């Protein structure tokens, strides 16, 4: 069936989730950490994005429980909302790790991860907008880009950990950086899960 128009309440809620995710990813990527005190501000702001995303997801669940008919299958609406929420949760958790470990200088690998994730969030937002406009054929292109970016992140993770064990001598730093690399790669995996969900929706509704 697909969404009739952008006025559909589920379309609006999914758009809200995707826009909040994009804004959160942009903030995560663009915020400049100058000193340790900035980490608390950074982490708190990401927590705000995460709380806002949760409220949208709760609204989706409430509307699904009340709706007699939905524009696409209920489980697909919920899966899309939850998979986007996982991405934002991952970003918030990683911001908390930066604060916990007092890391203000992201290395080149972290920056590459974050650039790719920011681009994924942009593609997700565009795909959800296309879904609300019933441009199902265009969604596939965004999903492919997201999957390509996830593959890039796989490579970054391998390079980052190899470099970490080669150049870093402080065992505590190794543990901290490895955890952050793994979290960032996991966020890319969450983005791929969004792409998979979008492709499932296209396949069912084309």
């Amino acid at each position: 069936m697909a969404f009739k128009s952008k006025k559909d309440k589920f379309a609006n809620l999914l758009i809200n989730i995707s826009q909040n995710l994009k804004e959160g990813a942009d903030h995560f990527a663009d915020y400049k950490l100058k000193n340790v005190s900035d980490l608390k501000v950074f982490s708190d702001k990401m927590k705000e994005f995460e709380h806002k995303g949760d409220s949208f997801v709760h609204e989706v669940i409430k509307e699904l429980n009340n709706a007699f008919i939905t524009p696409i299958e209920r489980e697909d609406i919920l899966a899309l909302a939850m998979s986007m929420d996982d991405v934002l949760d991952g970003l918030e958790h990683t911001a908390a790790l930066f604060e916990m470990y007092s890391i203000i200088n992201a290395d080149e690998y972290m920056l590459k991860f974050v650039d790719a994730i920011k681009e994924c969030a942009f593609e997700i937002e565009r795909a959800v907008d296309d879904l609300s406009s019933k441009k199902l054929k265009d969604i596939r292109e965004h999903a492919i880009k997201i999957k390509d970016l996830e593959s890039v992140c796989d490579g970054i993770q391998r390079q980052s950990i190899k470099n970490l064990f080669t150049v870093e001598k402080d065992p505590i730093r190794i543990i901290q950086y490895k955890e952050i690399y793994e979290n960032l790669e996991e966020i890319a995996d969450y983005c791929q899960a969004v792409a998979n969900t979008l492709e499932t929706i296209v396949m069912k509704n084309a």
Side-chain angles (χ1 to χ4, degrees), residues 28 42-43 46-47 50 86-101 179-180 182-184 186-187 190:
F28 189 96
F42 175 56
S43 180
M46 291 307 302
K47 176 62 76 174
E50 190 254 348
D86 285 341
V87 179
L88 192 52
D89 285 349
L91 287 168
E92 186 276 326
H93 179 62
T94 305
L97 289 177
F98 273 92
E99 184 192 6
M100 191 187 311
Y101 298 147
E179 184 176 4
I180 288 174
E182 288 172 346
N183 269 267
L184 289 167
E186 188 173 42
I187 295 168
Y190 291 145

PDB file of all heavy atoms in Angstrom, residues 28 42-43 46-47 50 86-101 179-180 182-184 186-187 190:
ATOM      1  N   PHE A  28      27.262  14.942  16.370  1.00  0.00           N
ATOM      2  CA  PHE A  28      28.350  14.045  16.782  1.00  0.00           C
ATOM      3  C   PHE A  28      29.593  14.282  15.924  1.00  0.00           C
ATOM      4  O   PHE A  28      30.714  14.320  16.434  1.00  0.00           O
ATOM      5  CB  PHE A  28      27.893  12.590  16.649  1.00  0.00           C
ATOM      6  CG  PHE A  28      28.832  11.588  17.250  1.00  0.00           C
ATOM      7  CD1 PHE A  28      28.628  11.103  18.534  1.00  0.00           C
ATOM      8  CD2 PHE A  28      29.926  11.119  16.539  1.00  0.00           C
ATOM      9  CE1 PHE A  28      29.492  10.179  19.104  1.00  0.00           C
ATOM     10  CE2 PHE A  28      30.801  10.202  17.088  1.00  0.00           C
ATOM     11  CZ  PHE A  28      30.590   9.737  18.375  1.00  0.00           C
ATOM     12  N   PHE A  42      29.081  17.714  25.267  1.00  0.00           N
ATOM     13  CA  PHE A  42      28.920  16.848  24.089  1.00  0.00           C
ATOM     14  C   PHE A  42      28.051  15.636  24.427  1.00  0.00           C
ATOM     15  O   PHE A  42      27.071  15.330  23.734  1.00  0.00           O
ATOM     16  CB  PHE A  42      30.307  16.409  23.613  1.00  0.00           C
ATOM     17  CG  PHE A  42      30.314  15.416  22.479  1.00  0.00           C
ATOM     18  CD1 PHE A  42      29.679  15.686  21.289  1.00  0.00           C
ATOM     19  CD2 PHE A  42      30.981  14.208  22.617  1.00  0.00           C
ATOM     20  CE1 PHE A  42      29.700  14.772  20.234  1.00  0.00           C
ATOM     21  CE2 PHE A  42      31.016  13.291  21.577  1.00  0.00           C
ATOM     22  CZ  PHE A  42      30.367  13.576  20.380  1.00  0.00           C
ATOM     23  N   SER A  43      28.386  14.957  25.513  1.00  0.00           N
ATOM     24  CA  SER A  43      27.658  13.761  25.925  1.00  0.00           C
ATOM     25  C   SER A  43      26.212  14.085  26.290  1.00  0.00           C
ATOM     26  O   SER A  43      25.285  13.349  25.916  1.00  0.00           O
ATOM     27  CB  SER A  43      28.373  13.111  27.120  1.00  0.00           C
ATOM     28  OG  SER A  43      27.697  11.958  27.545  1.00  0.00           O
ATOM     29  N   MET A  46      24.112  14.688  23.153  1.00  0.00           N
ATOM     30  CA  MET A  46      23.772  13.431  22.472  1.00  0.00           C
ATOM     31  C   MET A  46      22.694  12.681  23.247  1.00  0.00           C
ATOM     32  O   MET A  46      21.838  12.016  22.643  1.00  0.00           O
ATOM     33  CB  MET A  46      25.020  12.561  22.303  1.00  0.00           C
ATOM     34  CG  MET A  46      26.044  13.111  21.311  1.00  0.00           C
ATOM     35  SD  MET A  46      25.343  13.497  19.666  1.00  0.00           S
ATOM     36  CE  MET A  46      24.686  11.901  19.187  1.00  0.00           C
ATOM     37  N   LYS A  47      22.716  12.800  24.573  1.00  0.00           N
ATOM     38  CA  LYS A  47      21.667  12.181  25.389  1.00  0.00           C
ATOM     39  C   LYS A  47      20.314  12.827  25.084  1.00  0.00           C
ATOM     40  O   LYS A  47      19.286  12.145  25.065  1.00  0.00           O
ATOM     41  CB  LYS A  47      22.014  12.327  26.871  1.00  0.00           C
ATOM     42  CG  LYS A  47      20.953  11.795  27.828  1.00  0.00           C
ATOM     43  CD  LYS A  47      20.698  10.309  27.668  1.00  0.00           C
ATOM     44  CE  LYS A  47      21.787   9.484  28.282  1.00  0.00           C
ATOM     45  NZ  LYS A  47      21.445   8.031  28.253  1.00  0.00           N
ATOM     46  N   GLU A  50      19.033  11.352  21.950  1.00  0.00           N
ATOM     47  CA  GLU A  50      18.616   9.972  22.215  1.00  0.00           C
ATOM     48  C   GLU A  50      17.248   9.946  22.904  1.00  0.00           C
ATOM     49  O   GLU A  50      16.374   9.144  22.547  1.00  0.00           O
ATOM     50  CB  GLU A  50      19.684   9.282  23.081  1.00  0.00           C
ATOM     51  CG  GLU A  50      19.496   7.779  23.225  1.00  0.00           C
ATOM     52  CD  GLU A  50      18.973   7.389  24.589  1.00  0.00           C
ATOM     53  OE1 GLU A  50      18.974   8.244  25.496  1.00  0.00           O
ATOM     54  OE2 GLU A  50      18.541   6.239  24.737  1.00  0.00           O
ATOM     55  N   ASP A  86      18.346   2.413  17.087  1.00  0.00           N
ATOM     56  CA  ASP A  86      19.598   1.725  17.454  1.00  0.00           C
ATOM     57  C   ASP A  86      20.819   2.549  17.033  1.00  0.00           C
ATOM     58  O   ASP A  86      21.820   2.593  17.763  1.00  0.00           O
ATOM     59  CB  ASP A  86      19.661   0.352  16.786  1.00  0.00           C
ATOM     60  CG  ASP A  86      18.745  -0.672  17.443  1.00  0.00           C
ATOM     61  OD1 ASP A  86      18.338  -0.452  18.598  1.00  0.00           O
ATOM     62  OD2 ASP A  86      18.436  -1.689  16.788  1.00  0.00           O
ATOM     63  N   VAL A  87      20.753   3.174  15.858  1.00  0.00           N
ATOM     64  CA  VAL A  87      21.867   3.999  15.381  1.00  0.00           C
ATOM     65  C   VAL A  87      22.112   5.158  16.346  1.00  0.00           C
ATOM     66  O   VAL A  87      23.253   5.418  16.757  1.00  0.00           O
ATOM     67  CB  VAL A  87      21.601   4.549  13.961  1.00  0.00           C
ATOM     68  CG1 VAL A  87      22.772   5.433  13.508  1.00  0.00           C
ATOM     69  CG2 VAL A  87      21.377   3.411  12.968  1.00  0.00           C
ATOM     70  N   LEU A  88      21.041   5.828  16.730  1.00  0.00           N
ATOM     71  CA  LEU A  88      21.168   6.975  17.636  1.00  0.00           C
ATOM     72  C   LEU A  88      21.633   6.540  19.012  1.00  0.00           C
ATOM     73  O   LEU A  88      22.459   7.216  19.647  1.00  0.00           O
ATOM     74  CB  LEU A  88      19.825   7.709  17.725  1.00  0.00           C
ATOM     75  CG  LEU A  88      19.828   9.092  18.386  1.00  0.00           C
ATOM     76  CD1 LEU A  88      20.885  10.000  17.767  1.00  0.00           C
ATOM     77  CD2 LEU A  88      18.464   9.731  18.281  1.00  0.00           C
ATOM     78  N   ASP A  89      21.131   5.402  19.487  1.00  0.00           N
ATOM     79  CA  ASP A  89      21.596   4.863  20.769  1.00  0.00           C
ATOM     80  C   ASP A  89      23.097   4.597  20.729  1.00  0.00           C
ATOM     81  O   ASP A  89      23.815   4.859  21.704  1.00  0.00           O
ATOM     82  CB  ASP A  89      20.860   3.564  21.105  1.00  0.00           C
ATOM     83  CG  ASP A  89      19.431   3.794  21.562  1.00  0.00           C
ATOM     84  OD1 ASP A  89      19.059   4.956  21.829  1.00  0.00           O
ATOM     85  OD2 ASP A  89      18.673   2.801  21.652  1.00  0.00           O
ATOM     86  N   GLY A  90      23.565   4.078  19.604  1.00  0.00           N
ATOM     87  CA  GLY A  90      24.991   3.795  19.459  1.00  0.00           C
ATOM     88  C   GLY A  90      25.831   5.059  19.501  1.00  0.00           C
ATOM     89  O   GLY A  90      26.904   5.089  20.124  1.00  0.00           O
ATOM     90  N   LEU A  91      25.352   6.108  18.852  1.00  0.00           N
ATOM     91  CA  LEU A  91      26.066   7.391  18.868  1.00  0.00           C
ATOM     92  C   LEU A  91      26.119   7.961  20.285  1.00  0.00           C
ATOM     93  O   LEU A  91      27.159   8.451  20.738  1.00  0.00           O
ATOM     94  CB  LEU A  91      25.383   8.381  17.927  1.00  0.00           C
ATOM     95  CG  LEU A  91      25.562   8.135  16.432  1.00  0.00           C
ATOM     96  CD1 LEU A  91      24.603   8.991  15.627  1.00  0.00           C
ATOM     97  CD2 LEU A  91      27.011   8.416  16.006  1.00  0.00           C
ATOM     98  N   GLU A  92      24.986   7.886  20.991  1.00  0.00           N
ATOM     99  CA  GLU A  92      24.944   8.403  22.365  1.00  0.00           C
ATOM    100  C   GLU A  92      25.891   7.619  23.268  1.00  0.00           C
ATOM    101  O   GLU A  92      26.597   8.197  24.097  1.00  0.00           O
ATOM    102  CB  GLU A  92      23.495   8.321  22.889  1.00  0.00           C
ATOM    103  CG  GLU A  92      23.282   8.957  24.249  1.00  0.00           C
ATOM    104  CD  GLU A  92      23.632   8.046  25.412  1.00  0.00           C
ATOM    105  OE1 GLU A  92      23.424   6.832  25.289  1.00  0.00           O
ATOM    106  OE2 GLU A  92      24.141   8.542  26.442  1.00  0.00           O
ATOM    107  N   HIS A  93      25.917   6.305  23.101  1.00  0.00           N
ATOM    108  CA  HIS A  93      26.799   5.472  23.927  1.00  0.00           C
ATOM    109  C   HIS A  93      28.272   5.788  23.645  1.00  0.00           C
ATOM    110  O   HIS A  93      29.085   5.854  24.568  1.00  0.00           O
ATOM    111  CB  HIS A  93      26.523   3.997  23.647  1.00  0.00           C
ATOM    112  CG  HIS A  93      27.394   3.061  24.429  1.00  0.00           C
ATOM    113  ND1 HIS A  93      27.391   3.007  25.805  1.00  0.00           N
ATOM    114  CD2 HIS A  93      28.342   2.160  24.026  1.00  0.00           C
ATOM    115  CE1 HIS A  93      28.276   2.107  26.220  1.00  0.00           C
ATOM    116  NE2 HIS A  93      28.859   1.580  25.163  1.00  0.00           N
ATOM    117  N   THR A  94      28.600   6.001  22.384  1.00  0.00           N
ATOM    118  CA  THR A  94      29.987   6.320  22.030  1.00  0.00           C
ATOM    119  C   THR A  94      30.390   7.684  22.584  1.00  0.00           C
ATOM    120  O   THR A  94      31.524   7.864  23.057  1.00  0.00           O
ATOM    121  CB  THR A  94      30.184   6.275  20.503  1.00  0.00           C
ATOM    122  OG1 THR A  94      29.752   5.005  20.010  1.00  0.00           O
ATOM    123  CG2 THR A  94      31.648   6.479  20.133  1.00  0.00           C
ATOM    124  N   ALA A  95      29.474   8.646  22.549  1.00  0.00           N
ATOM    125  CA  ALA A  95      29.751   9.956  23.148  1.00  0.00           C
ATOM    126  C   ALA A  95      30.033   9.805  24.642  1.00  0.00           C
ATOM    127  O   ALA A  95      30.928  10.469  25.190  1.00  0.00           O
ATOM    128  CB  ALA A  95      28.569  10.899  22.918  1.00  0.00           C
ATOM    129  N   ALA A  96      29.273   8.928  25.297  1.00  0.00           N
ATOM    130  CA  ALA A  96      29.489   8.674  26.724  1.00  0.00           C
ATOM    131  C   ALA A  96      30.869   8.057  26.970  1.00  0.00           C
ATOM    132  O   ALA A  96      31.521   8.356  27.983  1.00  0.00           O
ATOM    133  CB  ALA A  96      28.389   7.760  27.262  1.00  0.00           C
ATOM    134  N   LEU A  97      31.320   7.207  26.034  1.00  0.00           N
ATOM    135  CA  LEU A  97      32.654   6.608  26.167  1.00  0.00           C
ATOM    136  C   LEU A  97      33.748   7.672  26.054  1.00  0.00           C
ATOM    137  O   LEU A  97      34.735   7.632  26.798  1.00  0.00           O
ATOM    138  CB  LEU A  97      32.873   5.537  25.095  1.00  0.00           C
ATOM    139  CG  LEU A  97      32.092   4.226  25.243  1.00  0.00           C
ATOM    140  CD1 LEU A  97      32.377   3.308  24.066  1.00  0.00           C
ATOM    141  CD2 LEU A  97      32.455   3.531  26.550  1.00  0.00           C
ATOM    142  N   PHE A  98      33.579   8.611  25.139  1.00  0.00           N
ATOM    143  CA  PHE A  98      34.544   9.704  25.008  1.00  0.00           C
ATOM    144  C   PHE A  98      34.657  10.465  26.327  1.00  0.00           C
ATOM    145  O   PHE A  98      35.755  10.806  26.772  1.00  0.00           O
ATOM    146  CB  PHE A  98      34.141  10.657  23.878  1.00  0.00           C
ATOM    147  CG  PHE A  98      34.627  10.263  22.525  1.00  0.00           C
ATOM    148  CD1 PHE A  98      33.853   9.478  21.684  1.00  0.00           C
ATOM    149  CD2 PHE A  98      35.878  10.668  22.082  1.00  0.00           C
ATOM    150  CE1 PHE A  98      34.321   9.107  20.429  1.00  0.00           C
ATOM    151  CE2 PHE A  98      36.346  10.307  20.830  1.00  0.00           C
ATOM    152  CZ  PHE A  98      35.558   9.522  19.998  1.00  0.00           C
ATOM    153  N   GLU A  99      33.502  10.717  26.947  1.00  0.00           N
ATOM    154  CA  GLU A  99      33.527  11.430  28.226  1.00  0.00           C
ATOM    155  C   GLU A  99      34.147  10.569  29.326  1.00  0.00           C
ATOM    156  O   GLU A  99      34.981  11.022  30.106  1.00  0.00           O
ATOM    157  CB  GLU A  99      32.108  11.837  28.634  1.00  0.00           C
ATOM    158  CG  GLU A  99      32.109  12.661  29.917  1.00  0.00           C
ATOM    159  CD  GLU A  99      30.723  12.845  30.516  1.00  0.00           C
ATOM    160  OE1 GLU A  99      29.760  12.247  30.014  1.00  0.00           O
ATOM    161  OE2 GLU A  99      30.635  13.594  31.501  1.00  0.00           O
ATOM    162  N   MET A 100      33.764   9.308  29.366  1.00  0.00           N
ATOM    163  CA  MET A 100      34.251   8.404  30.394  1.00  0.00           C
ATOM    164  C   MET A 100      35.777   8.273  30.358  1.00  0.00           C
ATOM    165  O   MET A 100      36.447   8.241  31.388  1.00  0.00           O
ATOM    166  CB  MET A 100      33.616   7.018  30.200  1.00  0.00           C
ATOM    167  CG  MET A 100      33.831   6.044  31.347  1.00  0.00           C
ATOM    168  SD  MET A 100      33.236   4.378  30.937  1.00  0.00           S
ATOM    169  CE  MET A 100      31.591   4.728  30.309  1.00  0.00           C
ATOM    170  N   TYR A 101      36.319   8.229  29.136  1.00  0.00           N
ATOM    171  CA  TYR A 101      37.756   8.035  28.978  1.00  0.00           C
ATOM    172  C   TYR A 101      38.521   9.345  28.768  1.00  0.00           C
ATOM    173  O   TYR A 101      39.733   9.322  28.517  1.00  0.00           O
ATOM    174  CB  TYR A 101      38.027   7.092  27.792  1.00  0.00           C
ATOM    175  CG  TYR A 101      37.438   5.702  27.970  1.00  0.00           C
ATOM    176  CD1 TYR A 101      36.969   4.982  26.871  1.00  0.00           C
ATOM    177  CD2 TYR A 101      37.335   5.113  29.223  1.00  0.00           C
ATOM    178  CE1 TYR A 101      36.432   3.712  27.013  1.00  0.00           C
ATOM    179  CE2 TYR A 101      36.799   3.852  29.383  1.00  0.00           C
ATOM    180  CZ  TYR A 101      36.349   3.156  28.272  1.00  0.00           C
ATOM    181  OH  TYR A 101      35.818   1.894  28.421  1.00  0.00           O
ATOM    182  N   GLU A 179      37.658  -0.254  22.203  1.00  0.00           N
ATOM    183  CA  GLU A 179      36.228  -0.237  22.496  1.00  0.00           C
ATOM    184  C   GLU A 179      35.501   0.809  21.658  1.00  0.00           C
ATOM    185  O   GLU A 179      34.414   0.562  21.135  1.00  0.00           O
ATOM    186  CB  GLU A 179      35.990   0.028  23.982  1.00  0.00           C
ATOM    187  CG  GLU A 179      34.522  -0.047  24.363  1.00  0.00           C
ATOM    188  CD  GLU A 179      34.280   0.118  25.856  1.00  0.00           C
ATOM    189  OE1 GLU A 179      35.253   0.372  26.600  1.00  0.00           O
ATOM    190  OE2 GLU A 179      33.118   0.017  26.260  1.00  0.00           O
ATOM    191  N   ILE A 180      36.110   1.974  21.505  1.00  0.00           N
ATOM    192  CA  ILE A 180      35.489   3.031  20.705  1.00  0.00           C
ATOM    193  C   ILE A 180      35.427   2.625  19.232  1.00  0.00           C
ATOM    194  O   ILE A 180      34.395   2.805  18.569  1.00  0.00           O
ATOM    195  CB  ILE A 180      36.237   4.366  20.887  1.00  0.00           C
ATOM    196  CG1 ILE A 180      35.950   4.923  22.287  1.00  0.00           C
ATOM    197  CG2 ILE A 180      35.823   5.376  19.817  1.00  0.00           C
ATOM    198  CD1 ILE A 180      36.724   6.162  22.647  1.00  0.00           C
ATOM    199  N   GLU A 182      35.262  -0.348  18.030  1.00  0.00           N
ATOM    200  CA  GLU A 182      34.261  -1.403  17.897  1.00  0.00           C
ATOM    201  C   GLU A 182      32.841  -0.842  17.992  1.00  0.00           C
ATOM    202  O   GLU A 182      31.932  -1.296  17.286  1.00  0.00           O
ATOM    203  CB  GLU A 182      34.491  -2.488  18.957  1.00  0.00           C
ATOM    204  CG  GLU A 182      35.731  -3.328  18.668  1.00  0.00           C
ATOM    205  CD  GLU A 182      36.086  -4.278  19.792  1.00  0.00           C
ATOM    206  OE1 GLU A 182      35.547  -4.121  20.918  1.00  0.00           O
ATOM    207  OE2 GLU A 182      36.908  -5.190  19.558  1.00  0.00           O
ATOM    208  N   ASN A 183      32.660   0.153  18.849  1.00  0.00           N
ATOM    209  CA  ASN A 183      31.351   0.798  18.951  1.00  0.00           C
ATOM    210  C   ASN A 183      30.988   1.530  17.670  1.00  0.00           C
ATOM    211  O   ASN A 183      29.838   1.478  17.215  1.00  0.00           O
ATOM    212  CB  ASN A 183      31.326   1.764  20.137  1.00  0.00           C
ATOM    213  CG  ASN A 183      30.858   1.111  21.421  1.00  0.00           C
ATOM    214  OD1 ASN A 183      29.688   1.131  21.756  1.00  0.00           O
ATOM    215  ND2 ASN A 183      31.792   0.506  22.134  1.00  0.00           N
ATOM    216  N   LEU A 184      31.952   2.220  17.090  1.00  0.00           N
ATOM    217  CA  LEU A 184      31.697   2.954  15.855  1.00  0.00           C
ATOM    218  C   LEU A 184      31.368   1.995  14.709  1.00  0.00           C
ATOM    219  O   LEU A 184      30.471   2.263  13.901  1.00  0.00           O
ATOM    220  CB  LEU A 184      32.901   3.829  15.498  1.00  0.00           C
ATOM    221  CG  LEU A 184      33.109   5.042  16.418  1.00  0.00           C
ATOM    222  CD1 LEU A 184      34.489   5.654  16.201  1.00  0.00           C
ATOM    223  CD2 LEU A 184      32.021   6.092  16.180  1.00  0.00           C
ATOM    224  N   GLU A 186      30.007  -0.899  15.106  1.00  0.00           N
ATOM    225  CA  GLU A 186      28.688  -1.430  15.422  1.00  0.00           C
ATOM    226  C   GLU A 186      27.589  -0.463  14.972  1.00  0.00           C
ATOM    227  O   GLU A 186      26.527  -0.887  14.494  1.00  0.00           O
ATOM    228  CB  GLU A 186      28.567  -1.693  16.926  1.00  0.00           C
ATOM    229  CG  GLU A 186      27.300  -2.411  17.318  1.00  0.00           C
ATOM    230  CD  GLU A 186      27.288  -2.820  18.782  1.00  0.00           C
ATOM    231  OE1 GLU A 186      27.706  -2.005  19.627  1.00  0.00           O
ATOM    232  OE2 GLU A 186      26.846  -3.935  19.082  1.00  0.00           O
ATOM    233  N   ILE A 187      27.840   0.844  15.101  1.00  0.00           N
ATOM    234  CA  ILE A 187      26.875   1.835  14.622  1.00  0.00           C
ATOM    235  C   ILE A 187      26.681   1.684  13.118  1.00  0.00           C
ATOM    236  O   ILE A 187      25.556   1.769  12.610  1.00  0.00           O
ATOM    237  CB  ILE A 187      27.339   3.263  14.959  1.00  0.00           C
ATOM    238  CG1 ILE A 187      27.355   3.465  16.478  1.00  0.00           C
ATOM    239  CG2 ILE A 187      26.426   4.304  14.307  1.00  0.00           C
ATOM    240  CD1 ILE A 187      28.063   4.730  16.924  1.00  0.00           C
ATOM    241  N   TYR A 190      24.406  -1.060  12.525  1.00  0.00           N
ATOM    242  CA  TYR A 190      23.026  -0.639  12.766  1.00  0.00           C
ATOM    243  C   TYR A 190      22.466   0.101  11.550  1.00  0.00           C
ATOM    244  O   TYR A 190      21.292  -0.056  11.193  1.00  0.00           O
ATOM    245  CB  TYR A 190      22.936   0.261  13.994  1.00  0.00           C
ATOM    246  CG  TYR A 190      23.187  -0.419  15.320  1.00  0.00           C
ATOM    247  CD1 TYR A 190      23.833   0.249  16.360  1.00  0.00           C
ATOM    248  CD2 TYR A 190      22.774  -1.722  15.547  1.00  0.00           C
ATOM    249  CE1 TYR A 190      24.063  -0.361  17.585  1.00  0.00           C
ATOM    250  CE2 TYR A 190      23.006  -2.351  16.768  1.00  0.00           C
ATOM    251  CZ  TYR A 190      23.648  -1.661  17.788  1.00  0.00           C
ATOM    252  OH  TYR A 190      23.874  -2.269  18.994  1.00  0.00           O
TER     253      TYR A 190
END
